[in-house]
Coordinates of all heavy atoms in Angstrom, one line a residue:
W177 N 26.7 26.7 -21.4 CA 26.4 25.3 -21.2 C 25.9 25.1 -19.8 O 26.5 25.7 -18.9 CB 27.6 24.4 -21.5 CG 27.3 23.0 -21.5 CD1 26.9 22.2 -22.6 CD2 27.4 22.1 -20.4 NE1 26.8 21.0 -22.2 CE2 27.0 20.8 -20.9 CE3 27.7 22.2 -19.1 CZ2 27.0 19.7 -20.1 CZ3 27.7 21.1 -18.3 CH2 27.3 19.9 -18.8
P178 N 24.9 24.4 -19.5 CA 24.1 23.5 -20.4 C 22.9 24.2 -21.0 O 22.1 23.6 -21.7 CB 23.6 22.4 -19.4 CG 23.4 23.2 -18.1 CD 24.5 24.2 -18.1
C179 N 22.7 25.5 -20.7 CA 21.6 26.3 -21.3 C 22.1 26.9 -22.6 O 23.2 27.1 -22.9 CB 21.2 27.4 -20.3 SG 20.3 26.9 -18.9
P180 N 21.1 27.1 -23.5 CA 21.4 27.8 -24.7 C 21.9 29.2 -24.5 O 21.7 29.8 -23.4 CB 20.0 27.8 -25.4 CG 19.1 26.9 -24.7 CD 19.7 26.8 -23.3
D181 N 22.5 29.8 -25.5 CA 23.0 31.1 -25.4 C 21.8 32.0 -25.1 O 20.8 32.0 -25.8 CB 23.6 31.5 -26.8 CG 24.2 32.9 -26.8 OD1 23.5 33.9 -26.3 OD2 25.3 33.1 -27.3
P182 N 21.8 32.9 -24.1 CA 20.7 33.7 -23.7 C 20.2 34.6 -24.9 O 19.0 34.8 -25.0 CB 21.3 34.6 -22.6 CG 22.4 33.8 -22.0 CD 23.0 33.0 -23.2
A183 N 21.0 35.1 -25.7 CA 20.6 35.9 -26.9 C 19.8 35.1 -27.8 O 18.8 35.6 -28.5 CB 21.8 36.5 -27.6
D184 N 20.0 33.8 -28.0 CA 19.3 33.0 -28.9 C 17.9 32.6 -28.5 O 17.0 32.4 -29.3 CB 20.1 31.7 -29.2 CG 21.4 31.9 -29.9 OD1 21.6 33.0 -30.5 OD2 22.2 30.9 -29.9
I185 N 17.7 32.6 -27.1 CA 16.4 32.2 -26.6 C 15.6 33.3 -26.1 O 14.4 33.1 -25.6 CB 16.5 31.0 -25.6 CG1 17.3 31.5 -24.4 CG2 17.1 29.8 -26.2 CD1 17.3 30.6 -23.2
S186 N 16.1 34.5 -26.1 CA 15.4 35.7 -25.6 C 14.0 35.8 -26.3 O 13.9 35.5 -27.5 CB 16.2 36.9 -25.9 OG 15.5 38.1 -25.4
P187 N 13.0 36.1 -25.6 CA 12.8 36.6 -24.3 C 12.8 35.5 -23.2 O 12.5 35.8 -22.0 CB 11.6 37.4 -24.3 CG 10.7 36.6 -25.2 CD 11.7 36.1 -26.3
C188 N 12.9 34.3 -23.6 CA 12.9 33.2 -22.5 C 14.3 33.2 -21.8 O 15.3 33.7 -22.3 CB 12.7 31.8 -23.2 SG 11.1 31.7 -24.0
V189 N 14.3 32.6 -20.6 CA 15.5 32.6 -19.8 C 15.6 31.1 -19.3 O 14.6 30.6 -18.7 CB 15.4 33.6 -18.6 CG1 16.6 33.4 -17.7 CG2 15.2 35.0 -19.1
C190 N 16.8 30.6 -19.4 CA 17.1 29.2 -18.9 C 17.9 29.3 -17.6 O 18.7 30.2 -17.5 CB 17.9 28.5 -20.0 SG 18.4 26.8 -19.5
C191 N 17.5 28.4 -16.7 CA 18.2 28.4 -15.5 C 18.6 26.9 -15.2 O 17.8 26.0 -15.3 CB 17.3 28.9 -14.3 SG 18.1 28.7 -12.7
A192 N 19.9 26.7 -14.9 CA 20.4 25.3 -14.7 C 20.7 25.2 -13.2 O 21.2 26.0 -12.5 CB 21.7 25.0 -15.5
L193 N 20.2 24.0 -12.6 CA 20.4 23.8 -11.2 C 21.1 22.4 -11.0 O 21.2 21.6 -11.9 CB 19.0 23.7 -10.6 CG 18.0 24.9 -10.9 CD1 16.6 24.5 -10.4 CD2 18.5 26.1 -10.2
E194 N 21.5 22.2 -9.7 CA 22.0 20.9 -9.3 C 23.1 20.5 -10.3 O 23.0 19.4 -10.9 CB 21.0 19.9 -9.1 CG 20.0 20.2 -8.0 CD 19.1 19.0 -7.7 OE1 19.3 17.9 -8.1 OE2 18.0 19.3 -7.1
E195 N 24.2 21.2 -10.3 CA 25.4 20.9 -11.1 C 25.0 20.7 -12.6 O 25.5 19.8 -13.3 CB 26.1 19.7 -10.6 CG 26.6 19.9 -9.2 CD 27.4 18.7 -8.7 OE1 27.9 17.9 -9.5 OE2 27.6 18.6 -7.4
N196 N 24.1 21.6 -13.0 CA 23.7 21.7 -14.4 C 22.9 20.4 -14.9 O 22.7 20.3 -16.1 CB 24.9 21.9 -15.3 CG 25.6 23.2 -15.0 OD1 24.9 24.2 -14.6 ND2 26.9 23.2 -15.1
T197 N 22.4 19.6 -14.0 CA 21.6 18.4 -14.5 C 20.1 18.7 -14.6 O 19.4 17.9 -15.3 CB 21.8 17.3 -13.5 OG1 21.3 17.6 -12.2 CG2 23.3 16.8 -13.4
I198 N 19.6 19.8 -14.0 CA 18.2 20.2 -14.1 C 18.2 21.6 -14.8 O 18.8 22.5 -14.3 CB 17.6 20.2 -12.7 CG1 17.6 18.8 -12.1 CG2 16.2 20.8 -12.8 CD1 17.1 18.7 -10.7
R199 N 17.3 21.7 -15.8 CA 17.1 22.9 -16.5 C 15.7 23.4 -16.5 O 14.8 22.5 -16.7 CB 17.6 22.8 -17.9 CG 19.1 22.6 -18.0 CD 19.6 22.1 -19.4 NE 19.0 20.8 -19.7 CZ 19.3 19.7 -19.3 NH1 20.3 19.6 -18.4 NH2 18.7 18.5 -19.7
D200 N 15.5 24.6 -16.2 CA 14.1 25.2 -16.2 C 14.1 26.3 -17.3 O 15.1 27.0 -17.5 CB 13.7 25.8 -14.9 CG 13.6 24.7 -13.8 OD1 13.2 23.6 -14.1 OD2 13.8 25.1 -12.6
M201 N 13.0 26.6 -17.9 CA 12.8 27.6 -18.9 C 11.7 28.5 -18.5 O 10.6 28.1 -18.2 CB 12.6 27.0 -20.2 CG 12.6 28.0 -21.4 SD 14.3 28.6 -21.8 CE 14.9 27.3 -22.7
D202 N 11.9 29.8 -18.4 CA 10.9 30.8 -18.0 C 10.7 31.7 -19.2 O 11.6 32.4 -19.7 CB 11.3 31.6 -16.8 CG 10.2 32.6 -16.3 OD1 9.4 33.0 -17.1 OD2 10.2 32.8 -15.1
C203 N 9.5 31.7 -19.8 CA 9.2 32.5 -20.9 C 8.1 33.6 -20.6 O 7.3 33.9 -21.4 CB 8.7 31.6 -22.1 SG 10.0 30.5 -22.7
S204 N 8.1 34.1 -19.4 CA 7.2 35.0 -18.9 C 7.3 36.4 -19.5 O 6.4 37.2 -19.4 CB 7.2 35.1 -17.4 OG 6.9 33.9 -16.8
S205 N 8.4 36.6 -20.3 CA 8.6 37.9 -20.9 C 8.2 37.9 -22.4 O 8.4 38.9 -23.1 CB 10.0 38.4 -20.8 OG 10.3 38.7 -19.5
V206 N 7.6 36.8 -22.8 CA 7.2 36.7 -24.2 C 6.1 37.6 -24.5 O 5.2 37.9 -23.7 CB 6.8 35.2 -24.5 CG1 5.5 34.8 -23.8 CG2 6.7 34.9 -26.0
T207 N 6.0 38.1 -25.8 CA 4.9 39.0 -26.2 C 4.2 38.5 -27.4 O 3.2 39.2 -27.8 CB 5.5 40.5 -26.4 OG1 6.4 40.4 -27.5 CG2 6.1 41.1 -25.2
S208 N 4.7 37.4 -28.0 CA 4.0 37.0 -29.2 C 4.2 35.5 -29.4 O 5.2 34.9 -28.9 CB 4.4 37.7 -30.5 OG 5.8 37.3 -30.8
D209 N 3.3 34.9 -30.2 CA 3.5 33.4 -30.5 C 4.8 33.2 -31.2 O 5.5 32.2 -30.9 CB 2.3 33.0 -31.5 CG 0.9 33.2 -30.9 OD1 0.8 33.3 -29.7 OD2 0.0 33.2 -31.7
Q210 N 5.2 34.1 -32.1 CA 6.4 33.9 -32.9 C 7.6 34.0 -32.0 O 8.6 33.3 -32.3 CB 6.5 35.0 -34.0 CG 7.7 34.8 -34.9 CD 7.6 33.4 -35.6 OE1 6.6 33.0 -36.1 NE2 8.8 32.7 -35.6
E211 N 7.6 34.7 -30.9 CA 8.8 34.8 -30.0 C 9.1 33.4 -29.4 O 10.2 33.0 -29.3 CB 8.6 35.8 -28.9 CG 8.8 37.2 -29.4 CD 8.8 38.2 -28.3 OE1 8.1 38.0 -27.2 OE2 9.4 39.3 -28.4
I212 N 8.0 32.7 -29.1 CA 8.2 31.3 -28.5 C 8.8 30.4 -29.6 O 9.8 29.7 -29.3 CB 6.9 30.7 -28.1 CG1 6.4 31.4 -26.8 CG2 6.9 29.2 -27.8 CD1 7.0 31.0 -25.5
V213 N 8.3 30.5 -30.8 CA 8.8 29.6 -31.9 C 10.3 30.0 -32.2 O 11.1 29.1 -32.3 CB 8.0 29.8 -33.2 CG1 8.6 29.1 -34.4 CG2 6.5 29.3 -32.9
T214 N 10.6 31.2 -32.2 CA 12.0 31.7 -32.5 C 12.9 31.2 -31.4 O 14.0 30.7 -31.6 CB 12.1 33.2 -32.6 OG1 11.2 33.6 -33.7 CG2 13.5 33.6 -32.9
A215 N 12.5 31.4 -30.1 CA 13.3 31.0 -29.0 C 13.6 29.5 -29.0 O 14.8 29.1 -28.8 CB 12.7 31.4 -27.6
F216 N 12.6 28.7 -29.3 CA 12.8 27.2 -29.3 C 13.3 26.7 -30.6 O 13.5 25.5 -30.7 CB 11.5 26.5 -28.8 CG 11.4 26.7 -27.3 CD1 10.6 27.7 -26.8 CD2 12.0 25.9 -26.4 CE1 10.4 27.9 -25.4 CE2 11.9 26.0 -25.0 CZ 11.1 27.1 -24.5
S217 N 13.6 27.5 -31.5 CA 14.3 27.1 -32.8 C 15.8 27.3 -32.6 O 16.5 26.8 -33.5 CB 13.8 28.0 -33.9 OG 12.4 27.8 -34.2
A218 N 16.2 27.8 -31.5 CA 17.7 28.0 -31.3 C 18.4 26.7 -31.1 O 17.8 25.7 -30.7 CB 17.9 28.9 -30.1
D219 N 19.7 26.7 -31.4 CA 20.5 25.5 -31.1 C 20.6 25.4 -29.6 O 20.9 26.4 -28.9 CB 21.9 25.6 -31.7 CG 21.9 25.5 -33.2 OD1 21.0 24.7 -33.8 OD2 22.7 26.1 -33.9
M220 N 20.3 24.2 -29.1 CA 20.3 24.0 -27.7 C 21.2 22.7 -27.4 O 21.1 21.7 -28.1 CB 18.9 23.7 -27.2 CG 18.0 24.9 -27.3 SD 16.4 24.5 -26.6 CE 15.5 26.1 -27.0
P221 N 22.0 22.8 -26.3 CA 22.9 21.7 -26.0 C 22.0 20.5 -25.5 O 22.4 19.3 -25.6 CB 23.8 22.2 -24.9 CG 23.2 23.4 -24.4 CD 22.3 24.0 -25.5
F222 N 20.8 20.8 -24.9 CA 19.9 19.8 -24.4 C 18.5 20.3 -24.8 O 18.2 21.5 -24.8 CB 20.0 19.7 -22.9 CG 21.3 19.2 -22.4 CD1 22.3 20.1 -22.0 CD2 21.6 17.8 -22.4 CE1 23.5 19.7 -21.5 CE2 22.9 17.4 -22.0 CZ 23.8 18.3 -21.6
Y223 N 17.6 19.4 -25.0 CA 16.2 19.8 -25.3 C 15.2 19.3 -24.2 O 14.0 19.5 -24.4 CB 15.8 19.2 -26.7 CG 16.5 19.8 -27.8 CD1 17.7 19.3 -28.3 CD2 16.0 21.0 -28.4 CE1 18.4 20.0 -29.4 CE2 16.7 21.6 -29.4 CZ 17.9 21.1 -29.9 OH 18.5 21.7 -30.9
T224 N 15.7 18.8 -23.2 CA 14.8 18.4 -22.1 C 14.9 19.3 -20.9 O 16.0 19.7 -20.5 CB 15.2 16.9 -21.6 OG1 16.5 16.9 -21.2 CG2 14.9 15.9 -22.7
Y225 N 13.8 19.8 -20.4 CA 13.7 20.7 -19.3 C 12.8 20.2 -18.3 O 11.9 19.5 -18.5 CB 13.2 22.1 -19.8 CG 14.2 22.7 -20.8 CD1 14.1 22.4 -22.1 CD2 15.1 23.6 -20.3 CE1 15.0 23.0 -23.0 CE2 16.0 24.2 -21.2 CZ 15.9 23.9 -22.6 OH 16.8 24.5 -23.4
R226 N 13.1 20.6 -17.0 CA 12.2 20.2 -15.9 C 10.9 21.0 -16.0 O 9.8 20.4 -16.0 CB 12.9 20.4 -14.6 CG 12.0 20.0 -13.4 CD 12.6 20.3 -12.1 NE 12.9 21.7 -11.9 CZ 13.4 22.2 -10.8 NH1 13.7 21.4 -9.8 NH2 13.6 23.5 -10.7
T227 N 11.0 22.3 -16.1 CA 9.8 23.1 -16.0 C 9.8 24.2 -17.1 O 10.8 24.9 -17.3 CB 9.7 23.8 -14.6 OG1 9.8 22.8 -13.6 CG2 8.4 24.6 -14.5
L228 N 8.6 24.4 -17.7 CA 8.4 25.6 -18.5 C 7.4 26.5 -17.7 O 6.4 26.0 -17.2 CB 7.7 25.2 -19.8 CG 7.1 26.4 -20.6 CD1 8.3 27.3 -21.1 CD2 6.2 25.9 -21.7
T229 N 7.8 27.8 -17.6 CA 6.9 28.7 -16.9 C 6.6 29.9 -17.8 O 7.4 30.5 -18.4 CB 7.6 29.3 -15.6 OG1 8.0 28.2 -14.8 CG2 6.8 30.2 -14.8
I230 N 5.3 30.2 -17.8 CA 4.8 31.4 -18.5 C 3.7 32.0 -17.6 O 2.7 31.5 -17.5 CB 4.2 31.1 -19.9 CG1 5.2 30.3 -20.8 CG2 3.7 32.3 -20.6 CD1 4.7 29.8 -22.1
L231 N 4.1 33.2 -17.1 CA 3.2 33.8 -16.1 C 2.9 35.3 -16.5 O 3.8 36.0 -16.9 CB 3.8 33.9 -14.7 CG 4.3 32.5 -14.1 CD1 5.0 32.8 -12.8 CD2 3.1 31.6 -13.9
N232 N 1.6 35.6 -16.3 CA 1.2 37.0 -16.4 C 1.5 37.7 -17.8 O 2.0 38.8 -17.8 CB 1.8 37.9 -15.3 CG 1.4 37.3 -13.9 OD1 0.3 36.9 -13.7 ND2 2.4 37.2 -13.0
V233 N 1.3 37.0 -18.9 CA 1.5 37.5 -20.2 C 0.2 38.0 -20.8 O -0.6 37.1 -21.1 CB 2.2 36.5 -21.1 CG1 2.4 37.1 -22.5 CG2 3.6 36.1 -20.5
Q234 N 0.0 39.2 -20.9 CA -1.3 39.8 -21.4 C -1.0 40.5 -22.7 O -1.1 41.8 -22.7 CB -2.0 40.7 -20.4 CG -2.3 40.0 -19.1 CD -3.4 38.9 -19.3 OE1 -4.3 39.1 -20.1 NE2 -3.2 37.8 -18.7
S235 N -0.7 39.8 -23.7 CA -0.4 40.4 -25.0 C -1.4 39.8 -26.1 O -1.6 38.6 -26.1 CB 1.0 40.0 -25.5 OG 1.2 40.4 -26.8
E236 N -2.0 40.7 -26.9 CA -2.9 40.2 -27.9 C -2.2 39.4 -29.0 O -2.9 38.7 -29.7 CB -3.6 41.4 -28.5 CG -4.6 42.1 -27.6 CD -5.2 43.3 -28.2 OE1 -5.2 43.5 -29.5 OE2 -5.8 44.1 -27.5
S237 N -0.9 39.5 -29.0 CA -0.1 38.7 -30.0 C 0.3 37.3 -29.5 O 1.0 36.6 -30.2 CB 1.1 39.5 -30.4 OG 0.7 40.7 -31.1
F238 N 0.0 37.1 -28.2 CA 0.3 35.8 -27.6 C -1.0 35.0 -27.3 O -1.5 35.2 -26.2 CB 1.2 35.9 -26.4 CG 1.6 34.7 -25.7 CD1 2.4 33.7 -26.4 CD2 1.2 34.4 -24.4 CE1 2.8 32.5 -25.8 CE2 1.6 33.2 -23.8 CZ 2.4 32.3 -24.5
T239 N -1.4 34.2 -28.2 CA -2.7 33.6 -28.1 C -2.7 32.1 -28.3 O -3.7 31.4 -28.0 CB -3.7 34.2 -29.1 OG1 -3.3 34.0 -30.4 CG2 -4.0 35.7 -28.8
T240 N -1.6 31.5 -28.9 CA -1.6 30.2 -29.3 C -0.3 29.4 -29.0 O 0.8 30.0 -29.2 CB -1.8 30.1 -30.8 OG1 -3.0 30.7 -31.2 CG2 -1.8 28.6 -31.3
L241 N -0.4 28.2 -28.4 CA 0.7 27.3 -28.3 C 0.3 26.1 -29.1 O -0.8 25.5 -28.8 CB 1.0 27.0 -26.9 CG 1.5 28.1 -26.0 CD1 1.7 27.6 -24.6 CD2 2.9 28.6 -26.5
N242 N 1.1 25.6 -30.0 CA 0.7 24.4 -30.8 C 1.9 23.5 -30.9 O 2.9 23.7 -30.3 CB 0.1 24.8 -32.1 CG 1.1 25.6 -33.0 OD1 2.3 25.4 -33.0 ND2 0.6 26.6 -33.7
E243 N 1.8 22.5 -31.8 CA 2.9 21.5 -31.9 C 4.2 22.0 -32.5 O 5.2 21.4 -32.4 CB 2.4 20.3 -32.8 CG 2.1 20.7 -34.3 CD 0.7 21.2 -34.6 OE1 0.0 21.6 -33.6 OE2 0.3 21.1 -35.7
F244 N 4.1 23.3 -33.0 CA 5.3 23.9 -33.5 C 6.0 24.9 -32.5 O 7.1 25.3 -32.8 CB 5.0 24.6 -34.8 CG 4.4 23.7 -35.9 CD1 3.0 23.9 -36.2 CD2 5.1 22.7 -36.5 CE1 2.4 23.1 -37.1 CE2 4.5 21.9 -37.4 CZ 3.1 22.1 -37.7
S245 N 5.3 25.2 -31.5 CA 5.8 26.2 -30.6 C 7.1 25.9 -29.9 O 7.9 26.8 -29.7 CB 4.7 26.5 -29.5 OG 3.5 27.0 -30.0
F246 N 7.4 24.7 -29.6 CA 8.5 24.4 -28.8 C 9.6 23.5 -29.5 O 10.5 23.0 -28.8 CB 8.1 23.7 -27.5 CG 7.2 24.6 -26.6 CD1 5.9 24.3 -26.5 CD2 7.7 25.7 -26.0 CE1 5.0 25.1 -25.8 CE2 6.9 26.5 -25.3 CZ 5.5 26.2 -25.2
G247 N 9.5 23.4 -30.8 CA 10.5 22.6 -31.5 C 10.7 21.2 -30.9 O 9.7 20.5 -30.7
L248 N 11.9 20.9 -30.6 CA 12.3 19.6 -30.1 C 12.3 19.6 -28.5 O 12.5 18.5 -27.9 CB 13.7 19.2 -30.5 CG 13.9 19.0 -32.1 CD1 15.3 18.8 -32.4 CD2 13.0 17.9 -32.6
A249 N 12.0 20.7 -27.9 CA 12.0 20.8 -26.5 C 10.9 20.0 -25.8 O 9.8 19.9 -26.4 CB 12.0 22.2 -26.0
S250 N 11.2 19.4 -24.6 CA 10.2 18.8 -23.9 C 10.3 19.2 -22.4 O 11.4 19.6 -22.0 CB 10.3 17.2 -24.0 OG 11.5 16.8 -23.5
F251 N 9.2 19.1 -21.7 CA 9.1 19.6 -20.3 C 8.4 18.5 -19.4 O 7.4 17.9 -19.9 CB 8.3 20.9 -20.2 CG 8.8 21.9 -21.2 CD1 8.2 22.0 -22.5 CD2 9.9 22.8 -20.9 CE1 8.6 23.0 -23.4 CE2 10.3 23.7 -21.8 CZ 9.7 23.8 -23.1
S252 N 8.9 18.4 -18.2 CA 8.2 17.5 -17.3 C 7.1 18.2 -16.6 O 6.1 17.5 -16.2 CB 9.2 17.0 -16.2 OG 10.3 16.3 -16.8
K253 N 7.1 19.5 -16.5 CA 6.1 20.2 -15.8 C 5.9 21.6 -16.6 O 6.9 22.2 -17.0 CB 6.5 20.5 -14.4 CG 5.6 21.3 -13.5 CD 6.1 21.4 -12.1 CE 5.2 22.2 -11.2 NZ 5.8 22.3 -9.9
V254 N 4.7 22.0 -16.7 CA 4.3 23.2 -17.4 C 3.5 24.0 -16.5 O 2.4 23.6 -16.0 CB 3.6 23.0 -18.8 CG1 3.2 24.3 -19.4 CG2 4.5 22.2 -19.7
I255 N 3.9 25.3 -16.3 CA 3.1 26.2 -15.4 C 2.7 27.4 -16.3 O 3.6 28.2 -16.7 CB 3.9 26.7 -14.2 CG1 4.3 25.5 -13.4 CG2 3.1 27.7 -13.4 CD1 5.3 25.8 -12.3
I256 N 1.5 27.6 -16.6 CA 1.0 28.7 -17.4 C -0.2 29.3 -16.7 O -1.2 28.6 -16.5 CB 0.6 28.3 -18.8 CG1 1.8 27.7 -19.6 CG2 0.0 29.5 -19.6 CD1 1.4 27.1 -20.9
T257 N -0.1 30.5 -16.3 CA -1.2 31.2 -15.6 C -1.3 32.6 -15.9 O -0.3 33.3 -16.2 CB -1.1 30.9 -14.1 OG1 -2.3 31.4 -13.5 CG2 0.1 31.6 -13.5
N258 N -2.5 33.1 -15.9 CA -2.8 34.6 -16.1 C -2.2 35.0 -17.5 O -1.4 36.0 -17.5 CB -2.3 35.4 -15.0 CG -2.9 36.8 -15.0 OD1 -4.0 37.0 -15.5 ND2 -2.2 37.7 -14.4
T259 N -2.6 34.4 -18.6 CA -2.1 34.8 -19.9 C -3.3 35.0 -20.8 O -4.5 34.8 -20.4 CB -1.3 33.7 -20.5 OG1 -2.1 32.6 -20.9 CG2 -0.1 33.2 -19.6
S260 N -3.0 35.5 -22.0 CA -4.1 35.8 -23.0 C -4.2 34.6 -23.9 O -4.9 34.8 -25.0 CB -3.7 37.1 -23.7 OG -2.4 37.0 -24.3
L261 N -3.6 33.5 -23.6 CA -3.7 32.3 -24.5 C -5.2 31.9 -24.7 O -6.0 31.9 -23.8 CB -3.0 31.1 -23.9 CG -1.5 31.1 -24.0 CD1 -0.9 30.0 -23.2 CD2 -1.1 31.0 -25.4
Q262 N -5.5 31.6 -26.0 CA -6.8 31.2 -26.3 C -6.8 29.7 -26.8 O -7.9 29.1 -26.8 CB -7.4 32.1 -27.4 CG -7.5 33.5 -27.0 CD -8.0 34.4 -28.1 OE1 -8.3 34.0 -29.2 NE2 -7.9 35.7 -27.8
F263 N -5.7 29.2 -27.2 CA -5.6 27.8 -27.7 C -4.3 27.2 -27.3 O -3.2 27.8 -27.5 CB -5.7 27.9 -29.3 CG -5.5 26.5 -29.9 CD1 -6.6 25.6 -29.9 CD2 -4.3 26.1 -30.5 CE1 -6.4 24.4 -30.5 CE2 -4.2 24.9 -31.0 CZ -5.2 24.0 -31.0
I264 N -4.4 26.0 -26.8 CA -3.2 25.2 -26.5 C -3.4 23.8 -27.2 O -4.4 23.1 -26.8 CB -2.9 25.0 -25.0 CG1 -2.7 26.3 -24.3 CG2 -1.8 24.1 -24.8 CD1 -2.5 26.3 -22.8
G265 N -2.6 23.5 -28.2 CA -2.8 22.3 -29.0 C -1.9 21.2 -28.5 O -1.1 21.4 -27.6
D266 N -2.1 20.0 -29.1 CA -1.3 18.9 -28.8 C 0.1 19.1 -29.4 O 0.3 19.8 -30.3 CB -1.9 17.6 -29.4 CG -3.2 17.2 -28.8 OD1 -3.4 17.6 -27.6 OD2 -4.0 16.5 -29.4
G267 N 1.1 18.5 -28.8 CA 2.4 18.6 -29.3 C 3.5 18.5 -28.3 O 3.4 18.4 -27.2

């Protein structure tokens, strides 16, 4: 608490700051679209995060983020750079 069980959200990693009131999610170890969907399908004590980070992911299986990718999760800030993404949809 307040982050989900690490095994449930792998390969993403949650970090809680400032007495657990701010949560960040780093998914820079993801290798496929399905891994994101699976990670964010996990039971979570909270679904609001300050930042989502996805950096330096060069996998041919990671090409799309869409309205189903993050389930109920929401982010105030998204940092995605140097990836093989080809499509980012609304959602």
Side-chain angles (χ1 to χ4, degrees):
W177 187 89
C179 285
D181 184 313
D184 292 344
I185 61 168
S186 179
C188 297
V189 177
C190 176
C191 178
L193 309 167
E194 294 186 23
E195 297 184 21
N196 299 325
T197 60
I198 296 174
R199 291 164 302 282
D200 294 330
M201 189 72 79
D202 187 328
C203 295
S204 297
S205 294
V206 70
T207 60
S208 71
D209 301 342
Q210 186 58 47
E211 282 185 337
I212 288 280
V213 172
T214 300
F216 285 93
S217 296
D219 287 328
M220 298 185 180
F222 300 96
Y223 290 92
T224 55
Y225 295 86
R226 179 182 63 176
T227 304
L228 168 69
T229 303
I230 304 174
L231 303 175
N232 303 317
V233 177
Q234 297 299 319
S235 169
E236 292 180 13
S237 298
F238 182 60
T239 60
T240 301
L241 293 175
N242 59 37
E243 66 271 21
F244 305 108
S245 297
F246 301 107
L248 299 174
S250 63
F251 310 94
S252 297
K253 182 177 180 181
V254 176
I255 302 168
I256 300 173
T257 188
N258 195 28
T259 70
S260 54
L261 283 173
Q262 298 174 10
F263 177 80
I264 299 177
D266 293 338

